[in-house]
Amino acid sequence: MSAILECDALTKNYGQTPALFNVSFRVEAGGVVGLLGPNGSGKSTLIKLAMGMLQPSCGRILVDGQKPSPVTKAVTAYLPDKNFLSDWMRVEQAVAYSADFFADFRRDKAENMLTRLGIGMKQKIKTLSKGNQEKLGLILTMARDAKLFILDEPIAGVDPAARDFILDTIMNYRPENSTVFLCTHLIADIEPILTYAIFLNRGTVALSGRKEELCKEEGQTLDRLFREVFRW
């Protein structure tokens, strides 16, 4: 099976400060991948490299077999860790904007998810609660028929009910055979849906592999394993 995301000796420095060093892994297409690590471990830098927002200092990163470019962005749906919505827009305008911008955007999927959440198309984004604004951002991302979904801290700072909605949306609306790349430090919440895990610690890969194999080999859950790997 071909790799949807592959790193080979990937290194990224900010001046004299290394953010990633000699990172190597290969993730096959399909499933839900957890990019796990505490703040400052290099998760966001890796995501920005995958999206072509940064260039490697050394090594390489490939998305669907190619260096990040407009071609790979066309098959990658990205949800940043900060709100990207324009609050002057109405929901219907945000949907129309996404439909115009992304050829693979499915308006019917977006409308289905919005109806399920109870968000009206005529509502102004600035009138939505912070939680519903975050859910709207997720809906616009998951409404695409992308090969790879990169979600940066999608469940950080939300209440348990919102967390359940987010994870349920990810699992039920992602296209068949697509890959979801979840960046988070909240391991216990996402462990049930993961198929693969990558532990980043201070810019290096501390551990990586299929979830079942890691748990069997170490004899414990990913959450407990995470606490051991990142124990002070």
Side-chain angles (χ1 to χ4, degrees):
M1 188 178 291
S2 61
I4 189 66
L5 186 64
E6 186 173 4
C7 296
D8 182 18
L10 180 67
T11 297
K12 178 61 182 178
N13 300 320
Y14 294 114
Q16 299 298 314
T17 305
L20 293 173
F21 178 71
N22 201 33
V23 169
S24 296
F25 63 80
R26 185 179 189 274
V27 176
E28 294 182 348
V32 181
V33 181
L35 180 62
L36 314 174
N39 294 332
S41 60
K43 301 189 304 295
S44 291
T45 295
L46 180 57
I47 285 175
K48 289 175 181 176
L49 287 163
M51 291 304 301
M53 298 161 66
L54 295 173
Q55 296 301 313
S57 301
C58 188
R60 68 173 184 168
I61 183 168
L62 300 177
V63 177
D64 200 25
Q66 302 184 68
K67 291 182 179 180
S69 67
V71 173
T72 61
K73 287 181 180 179
V75 298
T76 305
Y78 170 52
L79 179 68
D81 62 344
K82 293 180 174 60
N83 184 18
F84 64 93
L85 302 169
S86 298
D87 62 5
W88 59 267
M89 282 185 172
R90 296 185 185 277
V91 172
E92 63 184 350
Q93 291 174 304
V95 171
Y97 179 83
S98 294
D100 286 343
F101 202 80
F102 300 109
D104 61 359
F105 185 81
R106 290 271 307 278
R107 184 186 290 267
D108 59 324
K109 284 178 68 175
E111 291 178 351
N112 183 286
M113 286 184 272
L114 288 167
T115 298
R116 179 167 163 255
L117 186 57
I119 294 178
M121 294 289 280
K122 299 294 183 182
Q123 285 184 263
K124 282 194 173 181
I125 291 174
K126 66 181 178 182
T127 67
L128 299 176
S129 67
K130 180 177 181 293
N132 276 352
Q133 287 186 20
E134 291 176 349
K135 291 174 188 174
L136 174 59
L138 177 71
I139 285 170
L140 295 177
T141 303
M142 296 306 300
R144 290 182 57 191
D145 277 342
K147 287 185 177 181
L148 175 63
F149 294 84
I150 297 180
L151 313 179
D152 194 355
E153 298 288 359
I155 59 174
V158 299
D159 60 60
R163 206 167 289 169
D164 289 344
F165 172 86
I166 289 169
L167 296 178
D168 184 64
T169 298
I170 291 169
M171 295 307 296
N172 287 313
Y173 287 92
R174 71 184 186 97
E176 188 177 1
N177 299 321
S178 66
T179 305
V180 177
F181 210 72
L182 272 172
C183 169
T184 187
H185 60 276
L186 301 171
I187 317 303
D189 294 291
I190 69 165
E191 181 168 351
I193 69 172
L194 292 184
T195 54
Y196 196 95
I198 301 164
F199 287 65
L200 277 185
N201 189 19
R202 298 180 182 178
T204 64
V205 176
L207 204 62
S208 68
R210 298 193 66 82
K211 181 185 77 172
E212 290 181 0
E213 294 171 359
L214 288 175
C215 291
K216 183 177 180 180
E217 183 177 322
E218 301 296 333
Q220 54 191 325
T221 65
L222 281 184
D223 185 52
R224 293 299 308 171
L225 188 55
F226 180 87
R227 294 170 191 271
E228 284 195 8
V229 170
F230 299 104
R231 180 183 297 160
W232 288 101

